[in-house]
Structure formats: C-alpha cells, structure tokens
Coordinates of all heavy atoms in Angstrom, one line a residue:
M26 N 0.5 -12.1 5.6 CA 1.8 -12.1 6.2 C 1.7 -12.8 7.6 O 0.6 -12.6 8.2 CB 2.5 -10.6 6.4 CG 2.6 -9.9 5.0 SD 4.0 -10.7 4.3 CE 4.2 -9.8 2.8
I27 N 2.7 -13.3 8.1 CA 2.8 -13.9 9.5 C 2.6 -12.8 10.4 O 3.2 -11.7 10.3 CB 4.1 -14.6 9.8 CG1 4.4 -15.6 8.7 CG2 4.2 -15.1 11.1 CD1 3.3 -16.8 8.7
N28 N 1.8 -12.9 11.5 CA 1.4 -12.0 12.4 C 2.7 -11.6 13.4 O 3.5 -12.5 13.7 CB 0.3 -12.5 13.3 CG 0.4 -13.8 14.0 OD1 1.0 -14.7 13.4 ND2 0.1 -13.9 15.2
N29 N 2.6 -10.3 13.8 CA 3.6 -9.8 14.7 C 5.1 -10.1 14.4 O 5.9 -10.5 15.3 CB 3.2 -10.4 16.1 CG 1.8 -10.0 16.6 OD1 1.5 -8.9 16.6 ND2 1.0 -11.1 16.8
K30 N 5.5 -9.8 13.2 CA 6.8 -10.0 12.7 C 7.3 -8.7 12.3 O 6.7 -8.0 11.6 CB 6.9 -11.1 11.7 CG 6.4 -12.5 12.2 CD 7.3 -13.0 13.2 CE 6.9 -14.4 13.7 NZ 6.0 -14.3 15.0
P31 N 8.7 -8.5 12.4 CA 9.3 -7.3 11.9 C 9.4 -7.4 10.4 O 9.6 -8.5 9.8 CB 10.7 -7.3 12.6 CG 10.9 -8.7 12.8 CD 9.6 -9.4 13.2
G32 N 9.5 -6.3 9.7 CA 9.5 -6.3 8.4 C 9.7 -4.9 7.9 O 10.0 -3.9 8.7
L33 N 9.8 -4.5 6.5 CA 10.0 -3.2 6.0 C 9.7 -3.2 4.6 O 9.5 -4.2 3.9 CB 11.6 -2.8 6.1 CG 12.6 -3.9 5.7 CD1 13.0 -3.6 4.4 CD2 13.8 -3.6 6.7
L34 N 9.6 -2.0 4.1 CA 9.4 -1.9 2.6 C 10.7 -1.6 1.9 O 11.4 -0.8 2.3 CB 8.4 -0.6 2.3 CG 8.0 -0.4 0.9 CD1 7.0 -1.5 0.4 CD2 7.5 1.0 0.6
I35 N 10.9 -2.4 0.9 CA 12.1 -2.1 0.1 C 11.7 -1.4 -1.2 O 10.5 -1.8 -1.8 CB 13.0 -3.4 -0.1 CG1 12.0 -4.5 -0.8 CG2 13.7 -3.9 1.2 CD1 12.9 -5.8 -1.0
Y36 N 12.3 -0.6 -1.7 CA 11.9 0.1 -2.9 C 13.1 0.7 -3.8 O 14.3 0.7 -3.3 CB 11.0 1.4 -2.6 CG 11.7 2.4 -1.7 CD1 12.3 3.5 -2.4 CD2 11.8 2.3 -0.4 CE1 12.9 4.5 -1.6 CE2 12.4 3.3 0.5 CZ 13.0 4.4 -0.2 OH 13.6 5.3 0.6
T37 N 12.8 1.0 -5.0 CA 13.8 1.5 -5.9 C 13.2 2.3 -7.1 O 12.0 2.1 -7.3 CB 14.6 0.3 -6.6 OG1 15.6 0.8 -7.3 CG2 13.7 -0.5 -7.5
N38 N 14.0 3.2 -7.7 CA 13.6 3.9 -8.9 C 14.4 3.3 -10.2 O 14.4 3.9 -11.2 CB 13.7 5.4 -8.9 CG 15.3 5.8 -8.8 OD1 16.1 5.0 -8.5 ND2 15.5 7.0 -9.0
A39 N 15.0 2.1 -9.9 CA 15.8 1.5 -11.0 C 15.1 0.5 -11.9 O 15.7 -0.2 -12.6 CB 17.0 0.8 -10.4
G40 N 13.8 0.4 -11.6 CA 13.0 -0.6 -12.4 C 12.7 -2.0 -11.9 O 13.0 -2.2 -10.6
R41 N 12.0 -2.7 -12.5 CA 11.5 -4.1 -12.1 C 12.6 -5.2 -12.4 O 13.5 -5.0 -13.1 CB 10.4 -4.5 -13.0 CG 9.2 -3.5 -13.0 CD 8.1 -3.9 -14.0 NE 7.0 -3.0 -14.1 CZ 6.1 -3.1 -15.0 NH1 6.1 -4.0 -15.9 NH2 5.2 -2.2 -15.1
A42 N 12.3 -6.2 -11.6 CA 13.3 -7.5 -11.8 C 12.4 -8.7 -11.3 O 11.2 -8.5 -10.9 CB 14.5 -7.3 -10.9
A43 N 12.9 -9.9 -11.5 CA 12.4 -11.2 -11.0 C 13.5 -12.1 -10.7 O 13.7 -13.1 -11.4 CB 11.5 -11.7 -12.2
A44 N 14.1 -11.7 -9.6 CA 15.3 -12.5 -9.3 C 15.1 -13.4 -8.0 O 14.4 -13.0 -7.1 CB 16.5 -11.7 -8.9
P45 N 15.4 -14.7 -8.1 CA 15.2 -15.7 -7.0 C 15.9 -15.1 -5.6 O 17.0 -14.5 -5.8 CB 15.8 -16.9 -7.3 CG 15.8 -16.9 -8.9 CD 16.0 -15.5 -9.3
F46 N 15.2 -15.0 -4.6 CA 15.7 -14.3 -3.5 C 15.1 -14.9 -2.1 O 13.9 -14.9 -2.0 CB 15.5 -12.8 -3.5 CG 16.0 -12.1 -2.3 CD1 17.3 -11.8 -2.2 CD2 15.0 -11.6 -1.3 CE1 17.8 -11.0 -1.1 CE2 15.6 -10.8 -0.2 CZ 17.0 -10.6 -0.1
Q47 N 15.8 -15.6 -1.2 CA 15.4 -16.2 0.0 C 14.1 -16.9 -0.1 O 13.2 -16.7 0.7 CB 15.3 -15.0 1.0 CG 16.6 -14.3 1.3 CD 16.4 -13.2 2.5 OE1 15.5 -12.9 2.9 NE2 17.6 -12.9 2.7
G48 N 14.0 -17.8 -1.2 CA 12.8 -18.7 -1.3 C 11.7 -17.9 -2.0 O 10.7 -18.6 -2.1
G49 N 11.9 -16.7 -2.5 CA 10.9 -16.1 -3.2 C 11.4 -15.3 -4.5 O 12.4 -15.8 -5.0
F50 N 10.7 -14.4 -4.9 CA 11.3 -13.5 -6.0 C 11.4 -12.1 -5.6 O 10.5 -11.5 -5.1 CB 10.5 -13.6 -7.3 CG 10.6 -14.9 -7.9 CD1 9.8 -16.0 -7.7 CD2 11.6 -15.0 -8.9 CE1 10.1 -17.2 -8.3 CE2 11.9 -16.2 -9.4 CZ 11.1 -17.3 -9.3
L51 N 12.7 -11.5 -5.7 CA 12.8 -10.0 -5.6 C 12.4 -9.4 -6.9 O 13.0 -9.8 -7.9 CB 14.3 -9.8 -5.2 CG 14.7 -8.4 -4.9 CD1 13.9 -7.9 -3.7 CD2 16.2 -8.2 -4.8
C52 N 11.5 -8.5 -6.8 CA 10.9 -7.8 -8.0 C 11.5 -6.4 -8.2 O 10.9 -5.6 -8.9 CB 9.5 -7.8 -7.8 SG 8.7 -9.4 -7.7
L53 N 12.6 -6.1 -7.6 CA 13.3 -4.8 -7.7 C 14.8 -4.9 -8.2 O 15.4 -5.7 -7.8 CB 13.3 -4.2 -6.3 CG 12.1 -4.2 -5.5 CD1 12.3 -3.6 -4.1 CD2 10.9 -3.5 -6.1
N54 N 15.1 -4.0 -9.0 CA 16.5 -3.7 -9.6 C 17.2 -3.0 -8.4 O 16.6 -2.3 -7.6 CB 16.6 -3.1 -10.8 CG 16.5 -4.1 -12.1 OD1 16.9 -5.2 -12.0 ND2 15.9 -3.5 -13.1
S55 N 18.6 -3.2 -8.5 CA 19.4 -2.4 -7.5 C 19.7 -1.0 -8.2 O 19.6 -0.9 -9.3 CB 20.7 -3.1 -7.4 OG 20.6 -4.2 -6.7
P56 N 19.9 0.0 -7.4 CA 20.1 0.0 -5.9 C 18.8 0.0 -5.3 O 17.7 0.6 -5.8 CB 20.8 1.2 -5.8 CG 20.4 2.1 -6.7 CD 20.2 1.3 -7.9
I57 N 18.7 -0.8 -4.2 CA 17.5 -0.9 -3.4 C 17.6 -0.1 -2.0 O 18.6 -0.2 -1.4 CB 17.1 -2.4 -3.1 CG1 16.9 -3.0 -4.4 CG2 16.0 -2.6 -2.1 CD1 16.7 -4.6 -4.2
K58 N 16.5 0.6 -1.7 CA 16.5 1.4 -0.5 C 15.5 0.7 0.5 O 14.7 -0.1 0.0 CB 16.0 2.9 -0.7 CG 16.9 3.7 -1.7 CD 18.1 4.3 -0.9 CE 17.6 5.2 0.1 NZ 18.8 5.8 0.9
R59 N 15.4 1.1 1.8 CA 14.5 0.5 2.7 C 13.9 1.5 3.5 O 14.3 2.6 3.7 CB 15.2 -0.6 3.5 CG 16.4 0.2 4.3 CD 16.9 -0.8 5.3 NE 16.1 -0.6 6.5 CZ 16.3 -1.4 7.6 NH1 17.3 -2.2 7.7 NH2 15.4 -1.2 8.7
S60 N 12.6 1.2 4.0 CA 11.9 2.1 4.8 C 12.4 1.9 6.4 O 13.3 1.1 6.6 CB 10.4 1.7 4.9 OG 10.1 0.5 5.5
V61 N 11.7 2.5 7.2 CA 11.9 2.3 8.6 C 11.3 0.9 8.9 O 10.5 0.4 8.3 CB 11.1 3.4 9.5 CG1 11.8 4.7 9.2 CG2 9.6 3.4 9.1
S62 N 11.6 0.5 10.1 CA 11.2 -0.8 10.5 C 9.6 -0.9 10.8 O 9.0 0.1 11.2 CB 11.8 -1.2 11.8 OG 11.4 -2.5 12.4
L63 N 8.9 -1.9 10.3 CA 7.5 -2.1 10.5 C 7.2 -3.4 11.2 O 8.1 -4.1 11.5 CB 6.9 -2.3 9.1 CG 7.2 -1.1 8.1 CD1 6.8 -1.4 6.7 CD2 6.7 0.3 8.6
N64 N 6.0 -3.4 11.7 CA 5.6 -4.7 12.3 C 4.3 -5.0 11.7 O 3.4 -4.3 11.4 CB 5.4 -4.5 13.9 CG 5.1 -5.8 14.6 OD1 3.9 -6.3 14.5 ND2 6.0 -6.1 15.4
S65 N 4.1 -6.4 11.5 CA 3.0 -6.8 10.7 C 1.8 -6.9 11.6 O 0.6 -7.0 10.9 CB 3.1 -8.3 10.2 OG 3.4 -9.2 11.3
G66 N 1.7 -6.7 12.8 CA 0.6 -6.7 13.7 C -0.3 -8.0 13.5 O 0.3 -9.1 13.3
G67 N -1.6 -8.0 13.7 CA -2.3 -9.2 13.6 C -2.8 -9.8 15.0 O -2.7 -9.2 15.9
N68 N -3.2 -11.0 14.9 CA -3.7 -11.8 16.1 C -2.6 -12.0 17.0 O -1.3 -12.0 16.6 CB -4.2 -13.1 15.7 CG -5.5 -13.0 14.7 OD1 -6.3 -12.0 15.0 ND2 -5.8 -13.9 14.0
S69 N -2.9 -12.2 18.3 CA -1.9 -12.7 19.3 C -1.4 -14.1 18.9 O -2.0 -14.8 18.2 CB -2.5 -12.7 20.8 OG -3.1 -11.5 21.0
P70 N -0.2 -14.4 19.4 CA 0.4 -15.7 19.1 C -0.7 -16.8 19.4 O -1.4 -16.6 20.2 CB 1.6 -15.8 20.0 CG 1.9 -14.4 20.2 CD 0.7 -13.7 20.3
P71 N -0.5 -17.9 18.8 CA 0.5 -18.5 17.9 C 0.4 -17.8 16.5 O -0.4 -17.1 16.2 CB 0.2 -19.9 17.8 CG -1.3 -20.1 18.0 CD -1.7 -19.0 18.9
N72 N 1.5 -18.3 15.7 CA 1.6 -17.6 14.4 C 0.5 -18.1 13.6 O 0.0 -19.2 13.6 CB 3.1 -18.1 13.7 CG 4.1 -17.4 14.3 OD1 4.2 -16.4 15.0 ND2 5.3 -18.1 14.1
D73 N 0.0 -17.1 12.7 CA -1.0 -17.3 11.7 C -0.7 -16.3 10.6 O 0.3 -15.7 10.6 CB -2.4 -17.3 12.3 CG -2.8 -16.0 12.8 OD1 -2.1 -14.9 12.5 OD2 -3.8 -15.9 13.6
C74 N -1.6 -16.1 9.6 CA -1.3 -15.2 8.6 C -2.3 -14.1 8.7 O -2.7 -13.6 7.5 CB -1.6 -16.0 7.3 SG -0.4 -17.3 6.9
S75 N -2.4 -13.5 9.8 CA -3.3 -12.3 10.1 C -2.5 -11.1 10.0 O -3.1 -9.9 10.2 CB -4.1 -12.4 11.4 OG -3.1 -12.4 12.4
G76 N -1.3 -11.0 9.8 CA -0.5 -9.9 9.8 C -0.6 -9.1 8.4 O -1.0 -9.7 7.3
V77 N -0.3 -7.7 8.5 CA -0.3 -6.9 7.4 C 0.7 -5.8 7.6 O 0.8 -5.2 8.6 CB -1.7 -6.1 7.2 CG1 -1.7 -5.2 6.1 CG2 -2.9 -7.2 7.0
Y78 N 1.6 -5.6 6.5 CA 2.5 -4.5 6.5 C 1.9 -3.3 5.7 O 1.2 -3.4 4.8 CB 3.8 -4.9 5.8 CG 4.6 -5.9 6.5 CD1 4.8 -7.1 5.9 CD2 5.2 -5.6 7.8 CE1 5.5 -8.1 6.6 CE2 5.9 -6.6 8.5 CZ 6.1 -7.8 7.9 OH 6.8 -8.8 8.5
G79 N 2.1 -2.2 6.3 CA 1.5 -1.0 5.7 C 2.4 0.2 6.0 O 3.0 0.3 7.1
I80 N 2.4 1.2 5.3 CA 3.3 2.5 5.4 C 2.7 3.6 4.7 O 2.1 3.5 3.6 CB 4.6 2.3 5.1 CG1 5.6 3.5 5.5 CG2 4.8 2.1 3.5 CD1 7.2 3.2 5.4
D81 N 2.6 4.8 5.3 CA 2.1 6.0 4.6 C 3.3 6.6 3.9 O 4.2 7.1 4.5 CB 1.6 7.0 5.8 CG 1.2 8.3 5.3 OD1 1.4 8.7 4.2 OD2 0.4 8.9 5.9
M82 N 3.3 6.3 2.6 CA 4.4 6.8 1.8 C 4.6 8.3 1.7 O 5.6 8.8 1.6 CB 4.3 6.2 0.4 CG 4.6 4.7 0.4 SD 6.4 4.2 1.0 CE 7.4 4.9 -0.3
N83 N 3.5 9.0 1.8 CA 3.5 10.5 1.8 C 4.5 10.9 3.1 O 5.2 11.8 3.0 CB 2.2 11.1 1.8 CG 1.6 11.0 0.4 OD1 2.1 11.1 -0.5 ND2 0.2 10.6 0.5
S84 N 4.1 10.4 4.1 CA 4.8 10.7 5.5 C 6.2 10.3 5.5 O 7.2 11.1 5.9 CB 4.1 10.2 6.8 OG 2.8 10.7 6.8
F85 N 6.4 9.0 4.9 CA 7.8 8.4 4.9 C 8.6 9.3 4.0 O 9.8 9.6 4.3 CB 7.8 7.1 4.4 CG 9.1 6.5 4.3 CD1 10.0 6.4 5.3 CD2 9.6 6.1 3.1 CE1 11.2 5.8 5.3 CE2 10.9 5.6 2.9 CZ 11.7 5.5 3.9
A86 N 8.1 9.6 2.8 CA 8.9 10.5 1.8 C 9.4 11.6 2.3 O 10.5 12.1 1.8 CB 8.0 10.6 0.6
V87 N 8.7 12.5 3.2 CA 9.2 13.8 3.7 C 9.9 13.6 5.0 O 10.2 14.7 5.6 CB 8.0 14.7 3.8 CG1 7.4 15.1 2.4 CG2 7.0 14.2 4.8
G88 N 10.2 12.3 5.4 CA 10.9 12.1 6.7 C 10.1 12.0 8.0 O 10.8 12.0 9.1
S89 N 8.9 12.2 7.9 CA 8.1 12.2 9.1 C 8.1 11.0 9.9 O 7.8 11.0 11.2 CB 6.6 12.6 8.7 OG 6.5 13.9 8.2
L90 N 8.5 9.9 9.3 CA 8.4 8.6 10.0 C 9.8 8.2 10.4 O 10.0 7.1 11.1 CB 7.9 7.4 9.2 CG 6.4 7.6 8.6 CD1 6.0 6.5 7.7 CD2 5.5 7.9 9.9
G91 N 10.8 9.0 10.1 CA 12.2 8.7 10.4 C 12.9 8.1 9.2 O 12.3 8.0 8.2
G92 N 14.1 7.4 9.4 CA 14.8 6.7 8.4 C 15.4 7.8 7.5 O 15.5 8.9 7.7
L93 N 15.9 7.3 6.3 CA 16.6 8.0 5.3 C 15.9 7.8 4.0 O 16.4 7.2 3.1 CB 18.0 7.7 5.2 CG 18.9 8.0 6.4 CD1 20.2 7.3 6.3 CD2 19.0 9.4 6.7
P94 N 14.6 8.4 3.7 CA 14.0 8.2 2.5 C 14.7 8.8 1.3 O 15.4 9.8 1.4 CB 12.6 8.9 2.7 CG 12.9 9.9 3.8 CD 13.9 9.4 4.6
A95 N 14.6 8.1 0.1 CA 15.2 8.5 -1.1 C 14.6 9.9 -1.5 O 13.4 10.0 -1.4 CB 15.2 7.6 -2.2
A96 N 15.5 10.9 -2.0 CA 14.9 12.1 -2.4 C 13.9 12.0 -3.5 O 12.9 12.8 -3.7 CB 16.1 13.1 -2.8
Y97 N 14.0 10.9 -4.3 CA 13.1 10.8 -5.6 C 11.7 10.4 -5.1 O 10.8 10.6 -6.0 CB 13.8 9.8 -6.6 CG 14.0 8.3 -6.1 CD1 12.8 7.5 -5.7 CD2 15.1 7.9 -5.8 CE1 12.9 6.1 -5.3 CE2 15.5 6.6 -5.3 CZ 14.3 5.7 -5.0 OH 14.5 4.4 -4.6
L98 N 11.5 10.1 -3.8 CA 10.2 9.9 -3.3 C 9.3 11.1 -3.4 O 8.0 10.9 -3.2 CB 10.1 9.2 -2.0 CG 10.6 7.8 -2.0 CD1 10.8 7.3 -0.4 CD2 9.9 6.7 -2.9
T99 N 10.0 12.3 -3.6 CA 9.1 13.5 -3.5 C 9.3 14.2 -4.9 O 8.7 15.3 -5.1 CB 9.7 14.5 -2.4 OG1 11.1 14.8 -2.8 CG2 9.4 14.0 -1.1
L100 N 9.8 13.6 -5.9 CA 9.9 14.1 -7.3 C 8.8 13.6 -8.1 O 8.7 12.4 -8.5 CB 11.2 13.6 -7.9 CG 11.6 14.2 -9.2 CD1 11.7 15.8 -9.1 CD2 12.9 13.6 -9.6
P101 N 7.8 14.5 -8.4 CA 6.7 14.0 -9.2 C 7.0 13.4 -10.5 O 8.1 13.9 -11.2 CB 5.8 15.3 -9.4 CG 6.3 16.2 -8.3 CD 7.6 15.9 -8.0
G102 N 6.4 12.3 -10.9 CA 6.6 11.7 -12.2 C 7.7 10.5 -11.9 O 7.8 9.7 -12.9
T103 N 8.3 10.3 -10.9 CA 9.2 9.3 -10.6 C 8.4 7.9 -10.5 O 7.5 7.9 -9.8 CB 10.0 9.5 -9.3 OG1 10.7 10.7 -9.4 CG2 11.0 8.3 -9.1
I104 N 8.9 6.9 -11.1 CA 8.2 5.6 -11.1 C 9.1 4.9 -10.0 O 10.3 4.7 -10.0 CB 8.2 4.8 -12.4 CG1 7.5 5.6 -13.5 CG2 7.9 3.4 -12.3 CD1 7.5 5.1 -14.9
V105 N 8.3 4.3 -9.0 CA 8.9 3.6 -7.9 C 8.4 2.1 -7.9 O 7.2 2.0 -8.0 CB 8.6 4.3 -6.7 CG1 9.3 3.5 -5.4 CG2 9.2 5.8 -6.6
D106 N 9.2 1.2 -7.8 CA 8.8 -0.2 -7.6 C 9.1 -0.5 -6.1 O 10.1 -0.1 -5.5 CB 9.7 -1.1 -8.5 CG 9.2 -0.9 -10.0 OD1 8.2 -1.4 -10.3 OD2 10.1 -0.3 -10.7
S107 N 8.2 -1.4 -5.5 CA 8.4 -1.5 -4.1 C 7.8 -3.0 -3.7 O 7.0 -3.6 -4.5 CB 7.6 -0.4 -3.3 OG 6.2 -0.5 -3.6
Q108 N 8.2 -3.4 -2.5 CA 7.9 -4.8 -2.2 C 8.1 -4.8 -0.6 O 9.1 -4.4 -0.2 CB 8.8 -5.8 -2.9 CG 8.4 -7.2 -2.8 CD 9.2 -8.0 -3.8 OE1 10.3 -7.6 -4.3 NE2 8.8 -9.3 -4.0
F109 N 7.2 -5.5 0.1 CA 7.5 -5.7 1.6 C 8.3 -6.9 1.8 O 8.1 -7.9 1.1 CB 6.1 -5.7 2.4 CG 5.4 -4.5 2.4 CD1 4.2 -4.2 1.7 CD2 5.8 -3.5 3.4 CE1 3.6 -3.0 1.9 CE2 5.2 -2.4 3.5 CZ 4.0 -2.1 2.8
W110 N 9.1 -6.9 2.7 CA 9.9 -8.0 3.2 C 9.7 -8.2 4.6 O 9.7 -7.1 5.4 CB 11.4 -7.7 2.9 CG 12.3 -8.7 3.4 CD1 12.8 -9.8 2.8 CD2 13.0 -8.7 4.8 NE1 13.7 -10.6 3.6 CE2 13.8 -9.8 4.8 CE3 13.0 -7.9 5.7 CZ2 14.6 -10.2 5.9 CZ3 13.6 -8.2 6.9 CH2 14.4 -9.4 7.0
G111 N 9.7 -9.5 5.1 CA 9.5 -9.6 6.5 C 10.1 -11.1 6.9 O 10.5 -11.8 6.0
R112 N 10.0 -11.3 8.3 CA 10.6 -12.6 8.8 C 9.5 -13.6 8.8 O 8.2 -13.3 8.9 CB 11.0 -12.4 10.3 CG 12.3 -11.6 10.3 CD 13.3 -12.5 9.9 NE 14.7 -11.8 9.9 CZ 15.7 -12.1 9.3 NH1 15.6 -13.2 8.5 NH2 16.7 -11.5 9.3
D113 N 9.8 -14.8 8.4 CA 8.9 -15.9 8.6 C 9.6 -17.1 9.3 O 10.4 -17.9 8.6 CB 8.5 -16.4 7.1 CG 7.4 -17.5 7.2 OD1 7.1 -18.1 8.2 OD2 6.8 -17.8 6.1
P114 N 9.5 -17.2 10.5 CA 10.2 -18.2 11.3 C 9.8 -19.7 11.1 O 10.4 -20.6 11.7 CB 9.9 -17.9 12.8 CG 8.7 -17.2 12.7 CD 8.5 -16.4 11.5
G115 N 8.9 -19.9 10.2 CA 8.3 -21.3 10.0 C 9.3 -22.0 9.0 O 9.1 -23.2 8.7
F116 N 10.4 -21.4 8.5 CA 11.3 -22.1 7.7 C 12.8 -21.9 8.0 O 13.1 -20.9 8.7 CB 11.1 -21.5 6.2 CG 9.8 -21.8 5.6 CD1 8.8 -20.9 5.7 CD2 9.5 -22.9 5.1 CE1 7.5 -21.2 5.3 CE2 8.2 -23.2 4.6 CZ 7.3 -22.3 4.6
P117 N 13.6 -22.9 7.7 CA 15.1 -22.7 8.0 C 15.7 -21.6 7.1 O 15.2 -21.3 6.1 CB 15.6 -24.0 7.9 CG 14.7 -24.7 7.0 CD 13.3 -24.1 7.1
T118 N 16.9 -21.1 7.5 CA 17.5 -20.1 6.8 C 18.0 -20.8 5.5 O 18.4 -22.0 5.6 CB 18.7 -19.5 7.6 OG1 18.3 -18.9 8.8 CG2 19.6 -18.6 6.8
P119 N 18.0 -20.2 4.3 CA 17.7 -18.8 4.0 C 16.2 -18.6 3.8 O 16.0 -17.4 3.3 CB 18.6 -18.6 2.8 CG 18.7 -19.9 2.1 CD 18.5 -20.9 3.1
G120 N 15.3 -19.6 3.8 CA 14.1 -19.3 3.5 C 13.1 -18.8 4.6 O 11.9 -18.8 4.5
N121 N 13.8 -18.2 5.6 CA 12.9 -17.7 6.7 C 12.6 -16.2 6.6 O 12.5 -15.5 7.6 CB 13.7 -17.9 8.0 CG 15.2 -17.1 8.1 OD1 15.5 -16.7 7.1 ND2 15.6 -16.9 9.3
S122 N 12.3 -15.9 5.4 CA 11.8 -14.5 5.1 C 10.6 -14.6 4.2 O 10.2 -15.8 3.6 CB 12.7 -13.7 4.6 OG 13.3 -14.1 3.3
T123 N 9.9 -13.5 4.1 CA 8.8 -13.6 3.2 C 8.8 -12.2 2.4 O 9.3 -11.2 2.8 CB 7.3 -13.6 4.0 OG1 6.2 -13.8 3.1 CG2 7.2 -12.4 4.9
L124 N 8.3 -12.4 1.1 CA 8.2 -11.2 0.3 C 6.8 -11.0 -0.2 O 6.1 -12.1 -0.6 CB 9.1 -11.4 -1.0 CG 10.6 -11.3 -0.7 CD1 11.5 -11.8 -1.8 CD2 11.2 -9.9 -0.4
S125 N 6.4 -9.8 -0.3 CA 5.0 -9.7 -0.8 C 5.0 -9.6 -2.3 O 6.1 -9.5 -2.9 CB 4.4 -8.3 -0.3 OG 5.2 -7.2 -1.0
N126 N 3.9 -9.5 -2.9 CA 3.9 -9.2 -4.4 C 4.5 -7.6 -4.5 O 4.4 -6.9 -3.6 CB 2.5 -9.1 -4.9 CG 1.9 -10.6 -5.0 OD1 2.7 -11.6 -5.1 ND2 0.6 -10.7 -4.9
A127 N 4.9 -7.3 -5.6 CA 5.5 -6.0 -5.8 C 4.3 -5.0 -6.3 O 3.3 -5.4 -6.8 CB 6.5 -6.0 -7.0
L128 N 4.7 -3.8 -6.1 CA 3.8 -2.6 -6.4 C 4.6 -1.7 -7.2 O 5.7 -1.2 -6.7 CB 3.2 -2.1 -5.2 CG 2.2 -0.9 -5.4 CD1 1.0 -1.2 -6.2 CD2 1.9 -0.2 -4.1
E129 N 4.1 -1.1 -8.3 CA 4.8 0.0 -9.0 C 3.9 1.1 -9.0 O 2.6 1.0 -9.2 CB 5.0 -0.4 -10.4 CG 5.8 0.6 -11.2 CD 6.2 0.1 -12.6 OE1 5.3 0.3 -13.4 OE2 7.3 -0.3 -12.8
F130 N 4.4 2.4 -8.7 CA 3.6 3.5 -8.5 C 4.4 4.7 -9.0 O 5.5 4.7 -9.2 CB 3.1 3.8 -7.1 CG 4.1 4.0 -6.1 CD1 4.5 5.3 -5.8 CD2 4.7 3.1 -5.3 CE1 5.5 5.7 -4.9 CE2 5.6 3.3 -4.4 CZ 6.1 4.7 -4.1
T131 N 3.6 5.7 -9.4 CA 4.3 6.9 -10.0 C 4.0 8.1 -8.8 O 2.9 8.3 -8.4 CB 3.6 7.4 -11.2 OG1 3.8 6.4 -12.1 CG2 4.3 8.7 -11.8
V132 N 5.1 8.7 -8.5 CA 4.9 9.9 -7.5 C 4.2 11.0 -8.1 O 4.3 11.4 -9.3 CB 6.4 10.3 -7.1 CG1 6.2 11.5 -6.1 CG2 7.2 9.1 -6.5
G133 N 3.1 11.5 -7.4 CA 2.3 12.5 -7.9 C 2.7 13.9 -7.3 O 3.6 13.9 -6.5
P134 N 2.1 14.9 -7.7 CA 2.5 16.2 -7.3 C 2.2 16.5 -5.8 O 1.3 15.9 -5.2 CB 1.6 17.1 -8.2 CG 0.6 16.4 -8.9 CD 1.1 14.9 -8.7

C-alpha cells in the first residue's frame, strides 16, 4: 500500500463478489460495513509502497477501537468477507483509491 495514507477495512456477511470498482475489484456483496479510520504508516515521504493497513478485529468487534462494528462480528460461525480500501493519489479520480486482496474468515468462539 502507498505509505502514510488514510484507509479502512470494509466488510460484510453477505458473501463474495467481483465487481469493478474505482479501478480495481470490489470483492464484497452489499450491505458493506466499514471499520474506523486507519493509516497505512510506512516510510516518510515521498510516496512509496511501504504502507500496511492492519486492524485488531477482536478489539474492533467489541467496540474497543470505536466506530459501529456489526453485531455479527461477535457471533461464532459467521463468515465475514473483508478488504482494505485506501487512497492512492498517484491516479486521477475515480482511480485514486486502492483495494487490497480480499480475505474471508469465520468468527470463532
């Protein structure tokens, strides 16, 4: 990911998708929820690809990080699809965003 850029985790319990979206592919079906705001971190400017988005989903799911997490994030057995979204100022609108590969996980006890 591009360093020092805002982003967030988008997620759903509605399953997988593969829809063109802002120059990439959105891998989530609607309805889509979002995490709290994140920062990719990484090297000091100029822009490079040293950034990484990350979130502690256990803390987010119970509200410890703020935001409005979906109740299903604490329901064991729930399948959740997720993907990071962030800003990429190297391209004009609408391609000035970046999407990670998707991740599917099952909520544990």
Side-chain angles (χ1 to χ4, degrees):
M26 296 293 181
I27 302 296
N28 54 317
N29 301 302
K30 298 297 178 267
L33 46 90
L34 181 75
I35 52 178
Y36 63 94
T37 186
N38 67 343
R41 302 174 188 169
F46 181 75
Q47 296 183 352
F50 281 92
L51 181 63
C52 299
L53 315 176
N54 273 323
S55 293
I57 295 173
K58 300 281 291 175
R59 57 170 279 177
S60 72
V61 294
S62 181
L63 305 170
N64 187 289
S65 63
N68 296 329
S69 298
N72 288 341
D73 61 21
C74 293
S75 64
V77 175
Y78 293 113
I80 189 168
D81 179 337
M82 285 302 288
N83 291 317
S84 295
F85 176 66
V87 297
S89 296
L90 302 181
L93 297 169
Y97 60 75
L98 292 177
T99 60
L100 184 62
T103 302
I104 297 172
V105 180
D106 292 285
S107 60
Q108 191 171 14
F109 285 105
W110 172 90
R112 288 283 177 206
D113 186 346
F116 298 94
T118 303
N121 62 341
S122 66
T123 185
L124 290 165
S125 71
N126 291 335
L128 175 71
E129 184 174 85
F130 64 93
T131 303
V132 176

